[in-house]
Amino acid sequence: MMSLVNDNNVQQVTSFMQEQLNNALDWSERHQLRSWLSALLCGFIVSLFHYAIVYFDSAVPGVSPPTPFSPRSKRDRERSTSLHLNYLCAFGTGAMVTLFMIVDF
């Protein structure tokens, strides 16, 4: 049985993979993908941090005020919304950080 893996095949695959990686890096550089992704990641981290502060600072975490992801009781369903301003501010801070990083203030 003939071996399918030899030095020539490995070199061809390696050169092909390096060429594809270089093409991908060139494409991401042309479209400024790194700056967009870093801005989105930083905004997400800030938003997550602010959300955690609001969550752990509440009287009973997740209950008073309820998180947007907590299950609602019958009494809460009668209210118009369970989304509180604190959690909206957490989302807003992440969005503002993302926007400021993209605009580069």
Side-chain angles (χ1 to χ4, degrees), residues 43 46-47 50 88-98:
V46 167
S47 185
H50 191 169
L88 286 176
C89 286
F91 173 73
T93 56
M96 292 299 288
V97 166
T98 302

Side-chain angles (χ1 to χ4, degrees), residues 6 31 57 64 79 98:
N6 59 29
H31 292 87
D57 190 43
S64 176
R79 295 183 196 163
T98 302

Side-chain angles (χ1 to χ4, degrees), residues 23-42:
N23 289 341
L25 291 173
D26 289 342
W27 180 86
S28 68
E29 181 101 7
R30 281 194 313 265
H31 292 87
Q32 298 176 348
L33 190 62
R34 181 177 288 166
S35 64
W36 281 87
L37 287 178
S38 65
L40 287 173
L41 182 65
C42 287

